[in-house]
Structures are given as structure tokens and as C-alpha cells.
Amino acid sequence: MVLKASIFSLLWMSVINAQTEMNFSYEMKYGDGKQVTGTASDNPDTLDYNYFENLLDINTFYGDNIYFYTQLEYSNHPVYGNRRSGLDSLVNTFYLEYSDDRINIKLGNQYELFGRGMSFYTLQNQNIDYDNSVKGLSFKYFMRENIEISALIGKGDYFYRSNPSHRETDLQLNSSVLLGSVNYTHDWLGYFQYMNTKQQLIIDPDFIRLFDGGTEIHDDIDERLLTDPELQEIFSSWISGEKIQDTVIVKNHNFNWNFYLGPFDIYVDKAWINYDKIFGDEVFGSRFYTAVYTDFMGTGITYEYKNYNTPYLIKTISNLPIVYREGSSVLASRNAHTFNFGNEIGHQIDFNRHLFDNINILGNLSFSYRHQKEGMADLSMVDFLTMSEDSEIYDYYPFRQMYLEMNGWALSERLYYKIGFDHYTEFNVGAKNTFAITIPTQWVWKFSNGNSLTTYLEAQEKTVTGDIPGNYTDYYLSTSYSHRGKWIITGFYDQEISKGKTTRWPGFDFSYYLNSATQISLFYGSQKGGLICANGICAEQPGFEDGIKITFRSLF
């Protein structure tokens, strides 16, 4: 509180200074209706659902070198997350930054990216209530044009969910980190970065549900409970209600290199990690990621590969490359791959080709699987590409997605079209297997007076086996009319047919731009819940039925 008070005092003094420039961004969301859960079952639940979320971002510039950012939040309830309705929780995020030609210093919430996020990548995404930042101090010094030294120290609580469908977080742990890095750039050798981090995690079984099953961390603890007397004693003490904590040390050495080799743009990222098992000994793990891009006879081709092997480590301050295509299709995005950042090997190849004057063809193939453990069958890459459904492949939790798209302009560039084909397959032991084919399309017609008509039309056939088996046929339609960018009216229709039952989610939205920086939207109707994903972090958004939503956004 003393730190926050000091920063706000500095902010207030800067407000009255003639060299200070401030701008604001405000967003308000209000909703009142019914929340629908368990729609995949024969007996969905419906309960009252409302939210009132207010976010105010304040950007303050003092001269050319000082910048202060703070985000204030009043949410009772937010759309997704914990309530923030008291003065003590009003400040959601803040940092004070000083920079010039040689130095950059930041105090407060640390949102930083090193390399591709293999060791440190902190970010905030309000849509899915995700924030893995730490509060502390960071420092960058530019010794020469091609050498940069960085350091960071921070500490904070990390909140997450035992079940993605929970509206509020129910698990947490404490994390502190010390980081140092050196960046070097050479004209023909490329860009190098070496980084070393030391992280400390305070693990509390009450906050992390250590003795519940379901993950490799939990499975490892269950296995050790059979033979480890010390862990047996810890478990007995925890059962009896005694306060138990463990300190986990994580040491991470990370090297990444970006360079050109003839027609190839190559990026390589490797992390060597020594970390403690929870209530156990130190073990070694590693992370590897590479991406190669080239242009072959007018076709842009990108290949990505990941190999993550830290199965007993909780991911907190990192956000690793997902090696997976995040598309914009409403129906296809509901089949989100279950990432395992501690134990997964993955490949992705993407190509983009421009044909004639106005046609683009793009395609994507991505697949992944877990590392082989003792007792698992030897499978080849061909087995994971073909995804033949048999008992041997299930232990690998394999996933494969194929996507093909054609888009372009026609009729004297009055009509834009996008037609895709998405084939999704994923196997999960003891849970569910998903097979889905989705046809997403988009159509935009531009009128001569500046107005436009946009339509999204999608269809999906999906088969699920396992806990809640079934065959699903889904259709999605939304049509928007934009009147010279001043207002937009949209109709939504979402339909699912399963087990002889048809469920519909109709909706209507009207958005009006009061000016170039201010927008208000009014929605009435129903929306099907589902996954929203960003950077590999996915969260279940609740279904919404027979309600109203109001969104107001303004920059000033």
C-alpha cells in the first residue's frame, strides 16, 4: 500500500505539471440473464447470471522520458474472474517507467517478453482473466548499439483454476523471480540472447490441490506416496489439518538465436531447467523450440517444432510457443487442443500462396503427442499423422488438425470471400475423443456508398466418444450491416442438433460509434458458451440465455 500511495502521489504531482500528458481508456460491460452450464449433457443447468465490469486504463507521459500506467477495476461481478469492489482492490495493474537512449527502468507490474517466452513471458488478458505478472523492478542498459543487458526482480501471487469452467479462480501459489540476460546482434551472425532465471515457488497443498488426481504432477505424487515415508508423513499431517508448505527452486538457462542461412530465416530457442519436484528431489528438464521460414517459388512456408519435457513443473512466468493454429472460426475454435506445456512434442507446417491477382491459398497442418514412457508402445510420426484409433496411441494423448483455406476479392473487388475446411482429431485417455469437420466461410459485400454487408456462415459435424459420447451437428450464422462505419446491426443464429434434440441460440446486437473513439453496443438474446483461447491459455466462457449485454468503450 505504501508503494501504491507513493506512485499515486507522483502521478498527482505530475498532473499539475505543464509537461504532463494524460489519456484514458474506459470499458464498461454489463450483463443480466441466465447462465447455462453442462450443455454437452442431457441435463444442462440454468441459473441467474449477471456482471458489471468497469476497467479504466490511465496513461501518463511526463516529458519525453517518464511514463506511468495504471489500470483501475471495479467489477461486481466481472464477466470472468474474482470480484473487485473494494478500495483495497481498485488498483489492478500499475507500473512506472523511465527510458532514454541508453537505459530503461520499470517499477511495478512486469510485463516482459524474452525470446519467444520459453523462460519468461508475462502478460495480461482480461477476456480470460489471465495475468501472470510479478511486481518488482526491471532494468535494461544498452551498452552499445548491438549489446543490451537486462535484469529483473519480482514477486507475486499466481492465481488459476482447478477447472476451466469455474468463474472464479480457486487455486494460487506464491512466486518470486530473479532474472538476468544479455542480447547481442551481429550483422551476419544474427541475434543472440542468453538468459538465466532463478525462481522460487511457495507450494501449499490447500491452494494447489496436490493430492487430487488428474495431472502428471499429481500422478507422480501418488506414485511416490507408496514408497516415500517422508511424503507419507507430509500427507498424514496435511490430512490432519496441519499447515504444510514446500519451497520449489527452479533454475533456468535459456539461449535463443535468430539468423539467416541463404533463403531460410531460422529461429532456435533452448532452455535447460533444473527444478525441484514438489516435496521431492531436484530433477532436470528441457524445452526446445525452432521455427524456419522460407519462400519457395512464391509460396511462403513456415515450419515449427516444439519439444517440452518438464512434466513435474508448474508453468507460471512463461508462456511457451503453442505450435498450433488459432483460427477465427466460431465453431472450429470450440474444439481447443488441451496443451501440456510440461510434456509435449509438436510439429506445425504452414503455407501461403498467392494465385493470379486476387486469390490466396493457405494451408496448415499441426499435430502433437506426449513423450514415450515405460510401457508405452513405440510409434512413429506416421502413426500420429494418420491418427488411427487404437489402444496403443491413446497413452500419447495425440492431436492433429488440418486446415485449408481460399480467400480473395471478386466482382471488381466488391465481394470478399473466405472458404475454409478444418479437420480436427484429438484422443484423451479416460476422457473423450473428438472428431470434427468444420466448414467456415465469410462473405463481405461492399456497397458503392461506403456501406457493407458481412456474413459468417459455418457448419460442423462432430463425434465425441468417452465420458459424454454423442454426435453433434452445428450451424452458425451471423450477418452484419455497417452503415458508413457509424453504426452496425448484427443478427446471430447458433444451432446444435444432438440426440434428436435441437437447441438454438439467437441473438441481436446494435453497435453505435458516438465518435471515432467511443462505441456503445447493445446485445439481446442467447449465446452458446465455449472456450476462448489466447496464446495457449484457454478458459471456458459460460453460456448466456435470454439476457441483455451492454458494452461501452471510450478513449479520451
Side-chain angles (χ1 to χ4, degrees):
M1 291 300 293
V2 174
L3 177 60
K4 292 181 181 179
S6 300
I7 292 178
F8 277 112
S9 297
L10 176 62
L11 174 62
W12 174 250
M13 287 188 294
S14 66
V15 168
I16 61 177
N17 191 294
Q19 299 182 57
T20 301
E21 177 185 347
M22 298 182 69
N23 59 67
F24 304 84
S25 172
Y26 172 66
E27 181 178 51
M28 183 275 289
K29 297 179 180 179
Y30 170 83
D32 188 15
K34 299 289 185 180
Q35 178 180 348
V36 184
T37 59
T39 54
S41 67
D42 294 326
N43 186 28
D45 296 324
T46 302
L47 65 155
D48 291 336
Y49 175 72
N50 59 78
Y51 58 83
F52 182 48
E53 180 174 303
N54 298 266
L55 294 172
L56 177 64
D57 293 346
I58 305 174
N59 302 279
T60 304
F61 302 87
Y62 181 79
D64 297 327
N65 305 109
I66 298 177
Y67 170 67
F68 179 72
Y69 169 81
T70 186
Q71 182 183 81
L72 308 180
E73 178 177 355
Y74 176 88
S75 297
N76 192 13
H77 269 299
V79 175
Y80 192 63
N82 298 324
R83 298 189 187 196
R84 303 181 67 92
S85 56
L87 292 177
D88 59 333
S89 62
L90 182 63
V91 180
N92 192 30
T93 299
F94 69 91
Y95 58 84
L96 177 66
E97 184 174 8
Y98 172 85
S99 62
D100 58 27
D101 294 338
R102 300 294 297 275
I103 195 171
N104 178 278
I105 302 174
K106 183 185 294 184
L107 175 67
N109 286 79
Q110 301 295 320
Y111 296 105
E112 299 289 341
L113 169 63
F114 291 83
R116 298 289 175 90
M118 296 275 282
S119 298
F120 194 93
Y121 181 17
T122 50
L123 58 96
Q124 182 190 54
N125 189 320
Q126 283 283 352
N127 291 328
I128 57 174
D129 187 42
Y130 179 78
D131 188 340
N132 69 328
S133 66
V134 293
K135 291 183 175 67
L137 177 69
S138 63
F139 173 88
K140 295 180 182 179
Y141 177 64
F142 304 92
M143 295 181 59
R144 296 164 53 184
E145 290 184 358
N146 61 341
I147 300 178
E148 175 188 324
I149 297 176
S150 302
L152 183 149
I153 184 170
K155 182 177 181 180
D157 293 319
Y158 178 61
F159 299 89
Y160 57 109
R161 292 164 172 77
S162 60
N163 187 317
S165 64
H166 291 171
R167 187 174 182 182
E168 298 185 13
T169 56
D170 59 341
L171 303 178
Q172 72 178 79
L173 56 83
N174 179 269
S175 173
S176 59
V177 61
L178 178 64
L179 177 154
S181 77
V182 178
N183 302 347
Y184 175 73
T185 304
H186 190 273
D187 289 340
W188 57 274
L189 288 178
Y191 172 86
F192 300 85
Q193 182 183 73
Y194 169 76
M195 180 175 60
N196 176 260
T197 61
K198 182 177 181 180
Q199 186 184 11
Q200 177 178 279
L201 302 175
I202 306 299
I203 305 295
D204 186 332
D206 290 328
F207 289 145
I208 199 172
R209 311 277 175 81
L210 281 180
F211 300 107
D212 295 341
T215 68
E216 287 171 293
I217 295 174
H218 299 132
D219 292 344
D220 174 68
I221 290 176
D222 288 342
E223 185 176 332
R224 286 190 283 133
L225 270 171
L226 299 176
T227 58
D228 188 342
E230 184 177 345
L231 188 58
Q232 292 170 358
E233 184 177 345
I234 292 171
F235 178 72
S236 299
S237 300
W238 178 74
I239 289 294
S240 63
E242 185 178 339
K243 185 72 172 179
I244 301 293
Q245 286 187 337
D246 186 35
T247 300
V248 171
I249 302 299
V250 183
K251 300 175 183 178
N252 191 326
H253 297 270
N254 180 222
F255 173 80
N256 59 78
W257 181 22
N258 193 187
F259 62 101
Y260 292 91
L261 184 63
F264 298 99
D265 181 358
I266 302 174
Y267 178 83
V268 179
D269 204 332
K270 175 70 174 182
W272 297 266
I273 307 171
N274 290 90
Y275 65 100
D276 298 329
K277 283 187 176 183
I278 300 174
F279 295 114
D281 298 328
E282 182 182 83
V283 294
F284 174 77
S286 65
R287 295 167 177 165
F288 179 77
Y289 168 80
T290 187
V292 180
Y293 172 81
T294 189
D295 186 287
F296 179 73
M297 300 180 65
T299 300
I301 303 173
T302 302
Y303 169 73
E304 292 180 277
Y305 170 75
K306 66 180 177 183
N307 189 333
Y308 304 148
N309 191 13
T310 55
Y312 314 115
L313 178 62
I314 300 174
K315 184 178 74 71
T316 52
I317 57 172
S318 61
N319 278 291
L320 288 62
I322 59 177
V323 190
Y324 168 77
R325 179 182 178 272
E326 284 189 295
S328 58
S329 165
V330 172
L331 295 184
S333 64
R334 291 174 183 169
N335 304 313
H337 168 51
T338 305
F339 294 98
N340 185 340
F341 291 106
N343 181 3
E344 193 162 81
I345 299 171
H347 305 261
Q348 178 172 231
I349 186 167
D350 187 277
F351 73 86
N352 193 330
R353 173 80 179 186
H354 187 70
L355 299 178
F356 310 112
D357 293 329
N358 51 9
I359 299 178
N360 294 304
I361 302 292
L362 60 90
N364 180 278
L365 168 65
S366 59
F367 64 100
S368 64
Y369 49 92
R370 302 190 183 191
H371 289 87
Q372 183 181 11
K373 295 175 62 176
E374 185 178 351
M376 293 169 58
D378 288 319
L379 298 181
S380 67
M381 191 177 297
V382 175
D383 295 312
F384 299 112
L385 280 171
T386 57
M387 289 289 282
S388 299
E389 190 177 8
D390 58 58
S391 58
E392 292 184 337
I393 200 172
Y394 290 148
D395 291 334
Y396 286 90
Y397 289 68
F399 148 81
R400 185 197 64 195
Q401 186 171 30
M402 298 180 288
Y403 181 77
L404 185 65
E405 177 186 307
M406 179 175 67
N407 64 68
W409 289 91
L411 303 179
S412 302
E413 296 192 350
R414 300 287 296 276
L415 174 67
Y416 172 80
Y417 62 90
K418 180 171 70 174
I419 303 172
F421 174 84
D422 185 282
H423 189 191
Y424 178 96
T425 309
E426 183 170 32
F427 298 155
N428 286 298
V429 174
K432 67 177 183 179
N433 300 329
T434 303
F435 310 84
I437 293 178
T438 309
I439 308 295
T441 71
Q442 179 187 2
W443 310 86
V444 180
W445 179 261
K446 294 170 58 177
F447 297 99
S448 57
N449 55 6
N451 302 330
S452 63
L453 186 68
T454 302
T455 297
Y456 292 87
L457 178 61
E458 303 185 14
Q460 182 181 94
E461 290 285 346
K462 179 167 65 175
T463 299
V464 177
T465 62
D467 291 347
I468 308 177
N471 296 310
Y472 303 85
T473 301
D474 292 88
Y475 300 100
Y476 176 81
L477 170 66
S478 73
T479 300
S480 302
Y481 173 76
S482 174
H483 186 74
R484 298 182 180 177
K486 186 65 176 178
W487 54 265
I488 303 173
I489 185 170
T490 305
F492 302 90
Y493 182 78
D494 201 340
Q495 175 180 293
E496 181 177 86
I497 303 172
S498 176
K499 301 176 183 178
K501 179 183 177 181
T502 300
T503 308
R504 300 177 178 87
W505 294 268
F508 169 85
D509 181 89
F510 177 75
S511 297
Y512 185 77
Y513 291 85
L514 302 175
N515 52 54
S516 60
T518 304
Q519 176 194 15
I520 185 169
S521 297
L522 173 66
F523 172 87
Y524 176 77
S526 303
Q527 289 179 316
K528 183 179 179 181
L531 284 172
I532 292 182
C533 299
N535 197 51
I537 307 301
C538 300
E540 286 277 354
Q541 300 298 295
F544 189 75
E545 185 174 276
D546 192 25
I548 186 173
K549 295 183 179 182
I550 301 173
T551 303
F552 177 83
R553 297 183 178 93
S554 183
L555 300 173
F556 54 96

